[in-house]
């Protein structure tokens, strides 16, 4: 029997937050660029600030990990929240991690000033999953961090069993924190006799006993309607925007590109935050699943820095063929930005082929070290998720983070 016990280290370390300066790229004063030490932050309405951690820049196969300052702790919005987390008296909020992305869970715990809850997750020889909470959650507000990434079905089943364990342990509320929601692309019927797996997965999570779902950048907004429980949709766009601002690219040289017609709304919202940059659209025809063919370009990219925006990169066929088209149309540089780095083969070979100046992703999904390549930059969304969790727990506004 394989066994995996997850718990936080005895001495939790907290990141320090550094000041930042504004950038000419942004038309809104609510987004700030990173400092010379590559830290960044989001400014929220009312003067509160959600600090974002340093980017994990992967170059030449070597990861440069953010430095953690042991002597400082996060500047929480509410001083009473800080006192509770440091003194350990905030026993009504529990944060647990599944096995899909424990590194992200630990970063969230560092930001929140909490220790990860103790949980034992085992897999039997026949593949069955066993979950046992190692501490009481009776009457607690429990948050379970588990993206349903590869292996998708195993991680989804693990999440369902974790929810069931919390419900049977008399947790007051159970929130499934799903940084990446698998099966999100199966959100409608495009042909006869197809399933709508996104709705099925939503039903499974609801029936397992979850009271709320917190998800990042769903593939399509209608997926929120598949749940019969509240859904908090976290947009990771500010993290990527802030990083782009630190690169000091002139707003006159920028053009935001949607890699397909379905992503136009996402790209338009992205462009508005970049001083209302012009928009271009790649028109493609898909002949099968994970197979894309670029047809032509709508818009002008000649002599400009093109920033392609999508919610995920899977096999990278869409992004790479789009990048090739942009170069053919005269683009000076091409950047690819996405929230979810799925990176199914042969994505790494395609992305590292030299067509892209940089591939900017977040850590909603774990990226294996073998998949690092020189153009890859990984940005952390841990503080954004940590602040959202605090606000859900405190019954505060979540949407104001993104104003």
């Amino acid at each position: 029997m394989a066994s995996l016990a997850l718990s936080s280290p005895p001495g939790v370390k907290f990141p320090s937050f550094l000041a930042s300066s504004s950038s000419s790229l942004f038309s809104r004063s609510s987004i700030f660029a990173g400092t010379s030490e590559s830290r960044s932050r989001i400014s929220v309405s009312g003067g509160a600030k959600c600090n974002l951690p340093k980017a994990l820049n992967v170059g030449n196969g070597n990861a440069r990990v953010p430095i953690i300052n042991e002597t400082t702790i996060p500047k929480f919005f509410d001083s009473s929240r800080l006192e509770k987390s440091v003194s350990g008296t905030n026993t009504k909020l529990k944060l647990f991690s599944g096995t899909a992305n424990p590194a992200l869970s630990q970063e969230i715990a560092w930001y929140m000033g909490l220790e990860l809850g103790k949980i034992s997750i085992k897999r039997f020889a026949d593949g069955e999953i066993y979950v046992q909470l190692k501490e009481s959650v009776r009457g607690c507000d429990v948050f379970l961090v588990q993206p349903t990434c590869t292996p998708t079905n195993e991680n989804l089943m693990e999440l369902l069993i974790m929810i069931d364990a919390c419900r049977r342990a008399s947790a007051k509320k159970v929130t499934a924190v799903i940084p990446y929601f698998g099966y999100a692309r199966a959100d409608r019927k495009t042909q006869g006799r197809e399933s709508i797996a996104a709705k099925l997965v939503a039903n499974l999570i609801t029936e397992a006993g979850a009271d709320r779902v917190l998800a990042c950048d769903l593939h399509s907004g209608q997926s929120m309607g598949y749940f019969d429980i509240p859904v908090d949709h976290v947009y990771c766009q500010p993290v990527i925007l802030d990083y782009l601002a630190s690169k000091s690219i002139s707003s006159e040289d920028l053009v935001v590109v949607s890699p397909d017609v379905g992503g136009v709304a996402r790209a338009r919202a992205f462009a508005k935050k970049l001083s209302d940059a012009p928009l271009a659209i790649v028109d493609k025809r898909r002949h099968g699943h994970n197979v894309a063919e670029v047809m032509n370009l709508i818009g002008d990219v000649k002599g400009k820095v093109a920033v392609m925006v999508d919610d995920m990169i899977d096999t990278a066929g869409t992004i790479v063929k789009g990048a090739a088209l942009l170069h053919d149309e005269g683009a000076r540089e091409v950047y690819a930005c996405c929230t979810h780095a799925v990176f199914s083969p042969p994505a790494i070979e395609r992305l590292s082929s030299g067509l892209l100046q940089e591939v900017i992703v977040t850590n909603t999904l774990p990226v294996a070290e073998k998949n690092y390549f020189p153009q890859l930059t990984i940005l952390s969304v841990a503080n954004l998720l940590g602040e959202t969790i605090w606000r859900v727990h405190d019954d505060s506004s979540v949407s104001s983070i993104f104003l």
Side-chain angles (χ1 to χ4, degrees):
M1 179 192 301
S3 175
L4 175 59
L6 293 175
S7 62
S8 60
V12 178
K13 302 176 182 180
F14 305 99
S16 61
F17 300 124
L18 307 177
S20 60
S21 58
S22 61
S23 168
S24 60
L25 273 178
F26 292 95
S27 58
R28 296 177 64 99
S29 60
S30 60
I31 306 293
F32 292 83
T35 65
S36 58
E37 298 186 51
S38 299
R39 294 283 177 139
S40 55
R41 66 184 182 183
I42 295 176
S43 179
V44 188
S45 61
K49 295 180 177 62
C50 173
N51 294 274
L52 299 177
K54 176 181 176 182
L56 172 58
N57 187 16
V58 180
N60 301 319
N62 297 317
R64 298 202 293 272
V65 181
I67 298 174
I68 304 299
N69 189 334
E70 301 182 38
T71 62
T72 57
I73 55 180
K75 299 176 181 177
F76 292 152
F77 299 137
D78 189 345
S79 60
S80 61
R81 178 195 298 175
L82 175 61
E83 293 172 2
K84 288 180 181 179
S85 60
V86 174
S87 63
T89 59
N90 191 5
T91 58
K92 292 303 180 183
L93 191 157
K94 299 285 187 178
L95 183 68
F96 292 92
S97 174
T99 61
N101 197 349
L104 174 60
S105 302
Q106 184 62 77
E107 286 185 45
I108 294 172
W110 282 340
Y111 170 79
M112 298 180 70
L114 301 174
E115 292 192 2
L116 284 175
K118 295 178 176 60
I119 184 172
S120 176
I121 301 175
K122 302 177 182 178
R123 280 173 170 76
F124 293 96
D126 62 353
E128 292 182 5
I129 300 171
Y130 170 83
V131 173
Q132 182 187 21
L133 303 177
K134 292 296 187 178
E135 58 186 74
S136 174
V137 295
R138 184 178 297 273
C140 294
D141 194 0
V142 177
F143 292 83
L144 306 174
V145 183
Q146 176 80 340
T148 53
C149 53
T150 305
T152 305
N153 297 329
E154 280 197 25
N155 287 329
L156 174 60
M157 194 65 198
E158 183 179 304
L159 173 62
L160 298 176
I161 297 175
M162 290 169 66
I163 293 171
D164 183 71
C166 292
R167 183 175 64 85
R168 296 180 187 279
S170 302
K172 184 179 180 180
K173 289 193 297 184
V174 180
T175 300
V177 181
I178 311 176
Y180 171 71
F181 182 62
Y183 289 104
R185 285 173 283 184
D187 57 1
R188 65 192 184 280
K189 292 180 67 173
T190 58
Q191 302 178 51
R193 300 175 297 280
E194 282 186 334
S195 68
I196 303 179
K199 172 59 176 172
L200 173 62
V201 173
N203 287 342
L204 290 172
I205 293 171
T206 303
E207 291 301 318
D211 297 292
R212 178 181 292 269
V213 167
L214 195 161
C216 295
D217 282 340
L218 293 169
H219 184 64
S220 57
Q222 67 257 30
S223 297
M224 289 186 283
Y226 295 156
F227 290 89
D228 297 324
I229 54 178
V231 177
D232 290 301
H233 194 191
V234 177
Y235 299 95
C236 300
Q237 193 180 82
V239 181
I240 299 174
L241 285 167
D242 200 29
Y243 176 74
L244 285 175
S246 69
K247 303 187 77 64
S248 301
I249 303 171
S250 172
S251 59
E252 297 179 355
D253 294 334
L254 272 176
V255 58
V256 176
V257 181
S258 174
D260 53 36
V261 176
V264 171
R266 182 185 303 108
R268 184 184 294 115
F270 197 88
K272 285 183 179 179
K273 296 293 181 67
L274 290 172
S275 299
D276 205 11
L279 184 66
I281 304 168
V282 175
D283 178 36
K284 73 178 185 198
R285 298 291 187 268
R286 189 181 293 276
H287 297 295
H289 295 293
N290 296 328
V291 177
E293 179 183 354
V294 172
M295 300 300 292
N296 58 19
L297 180 71
I298 304 171
D300 180 27
V301 298
K302 188 173 182 180
K304 293 183 177 292
V305 176
V307 179
M308 301 184 71
V309 181
D310 210 347
D311 63 319
M312 69 177 72
I313 297 178
D314 189 354
T315 60
T318 297
I319 291 290
V320 170
K321 288 186 177 181
L325 177 64
L326 292 173
H327 280 295
D328 291 342
E329 295 292 331
R332 191 169 79 244
E333 293 178 347
V334 180
Y335 290 81
C337 303
C338 82
T339 300
H340 309 298
V342 181
F343 289 173
S344 302
I348 303 304
E349 291 78 5
R350 289 173 172 173
L351 294 172
S352 58
S353 62
L355 287 171
L356 296 163
Q357 180 76 14
E358 191 171 1
V359 179
I360 304 166
V361 301
T362 72
N363 63 342
T364 55
L365 298 178
V367 179
E369 188 172 348
K370 65 179 181 179
N371 290 334
Y372 292 166
F373 54 95
Q375 296 88 356
L376 180 64
T377 298
I378 303 174
L379 307 176
S380 178
V381 296
N383 293 11
L384 188 60
L385 286 172
E387 183 56 37
T388 304
I389 290 172
W390 269 124
R391 290 183 176 223
V392 171
H393 175 67
D394 292 340
D395 294 323
S396 302
S397 171
V398 172
S399 60
S400 62
I401 296 177
F402 309 103
L403 295 178

